[in-house]
Amino acid sequence: MRRIAVLCLACLLSGCVTPAGNLTVQALDKPEFRTMTSVLRPQLTRHGLLTEDGAWYEPVLSLAGLGLGSTAHAGATLFERLSPAFRFPGLAQDLLPGSFRGMVTGEAGVSVTAHAFTVLQGVDKVHVSLLALTDWTRDGRDDWLLLCRIEPQNQPGTRRDYYLLVDDPAAPVLKPRVLAIRDCVSGRCRIVETADDPGLAPESPAMELMQGQQTITQPPASAPAELRQGPTQTRLTQ
């Protein structure tokens, strides 16, 4: 009985697989995570994060949702330990600092919150946010889904979004996997690379995308409301 109680508590406090086979997802930045589910819906559905109608199961109770646990200072952790190498895969690793902290001088232009950080690098404003927790690798531990947004300050209305997976948040250096890259110009956005379709030169400027090009995906105009109750330890969210 005690072991069953411990298992139930673990499902309440962290990621589990629902009876339907879906992974639970603790969304920490719901507006941006909803955008991610919209633009990467086929990939996230195939991986078990989303149901066929685009909803996801959230734990009713989680340490992260209470502001506790390993994500309580995730913004500082990402700033200090997230490797920026995903932006420059063509460069030798020894030419790059080990973290975003190593790419800035002093604290000017640096802002760190509970789940995110923002820095100024040259003309670029870089914002990194922990969007959600889920057991992506199905090894019984929470993995981190991140957004890294690059906004050139000399090109208003232009940005590049990296959707990232950190599958070992306890590692000394966080080396994310790029799940997708999305470029936006003047409110028009498109996915230009996914993990299933790699090959883009990662730092080719978003400004090269013309508004008349095809495969344009608009962000959702508004966030749908929570739907209905899921299994005992989860709630279904859309």
Side-chain angles (χ1 to χ4, degrees), residues 127-172:
H127 177 74
V128 176
S129 174
L130 174 56
L131 300 187
L133 309 178
T134 190
D135 186 8
W136 181 279
T137 56
R138 295 179 184 258
D139 61 358
R141 299 183 302 173
D142 279 333
D143 304 312
W144 291 7
L145 295 177
L146 310 180
L147 167 68
C148 175
R149 174 164 293 161
I150 312 296
E151 296 180 282
Q153 299 301 283
N154 59 351
Q155 300 169 26
T158 299
R159 75 170 190 261
R160 166 161 287 182
D161 289 344
Y162 293 88
Y163 290 109
L164 308 171
L165 168 70
V166 172
D167 60 11
D168 186 5

Side-chain angles (χ1 to χ4, degrees), residues 121-225:
Q121 295 178 350
V123 299
D124 290 340
K125 178 182 177 182
V126 180
H127 177 74
V128 176
S129 174
L130 174 56
L131 300 187
L133 309 178
T134 190
D135 186 8
W136 181 279
T137 56
R138 295 179 184 258
D139 61 358
R141 299 183 302 173
D142 279 333
D143 304 312
W144 291 7
L145 295 177
L146 310 180
L147 167 68
C148 175
R149 174 164 293 161
I150 312 296
E151 296 180 282
Q153 299 301 283
N154 59 351
Q155 300 169 26
T158 299
R159 75 170 190 261
R160 166 161 287 182
D161 289 344
Y162 293 88
Y163 290 109
L164 308 171
L165 168 70
V166 172
D167 60 11
D168 186 5
V173 177
L174 306 182
K175 299 180 179 180
R177 173 188 174 191
V178 177
L179 299 180
I181 301 173
R182 182 173 183 249
D183 281 349
C184 297
V185 178
S186 300
R188 294 177 178 267
C189 302
R190 73 169 190 171
I191 294 292
V192 292
E193 177 178 346
T194 68
D196 300 327
D197 184 22
L200 177 79
E203 285 303 303
S204 51
M207 59 181 283
E208 292 181 0
L209 298 175
M210 303 304 294
Q211 293 187 19
Q213 289 181 311
Q214 300 299 309
T215 320
I216 300 297
T217 303
Q218 295 286 2
S222 60

Side-chain angles (χ1 to χ4, degrees), residues 8-9 14 28 40 44 47 51 55-56 73 91-92 98 114 129 144 153-154 160 168 179 201 209 211 217 221:
C8 291
L9 180 61
S14 63
L28 300 175
L40 295 179
L44 298 182
H47 204 77
T51 63
W56 69 88
H73 306 287
L91 291 181
S129 174
W144 291 7
Q153 299 301 283
N154 59 351
R160 166 161 287 182
D168 186 5
L179 299 180
L209 298 175
Q211 293 187 19
T217 303

Side-chain angles (χ1 to χ4, degrees), residues 19 37-38 69-70 144 156 193 198 202:
T37 64
S38 175
S70 62
W144 291 7
E193 177 178 346

Side-chain angles (χ1 to χ4, degrees), residues 16-24 45 48-52 55 57 138:
C16 290
V17 178
T18 70
N22 289 89
L23 297 168
T24 58
T45 301
L49 273 71
L50 302 180
T51 63
E52 290 299 326
Y57 287 97
R138 295 179 184 258

Side-chain angles (χ1 to χ4, degrees), residues 79-80 100-112 117-120:
F79 181 52
E80 298 286 349
F100 279 85
R101 153 71 79 180
M103 299 185 74
V104 300
T105 302
E107 301 299 325
V110 177
S111 173
V112 179
F117 73 84
T118 303
V119 299
L120 297 179

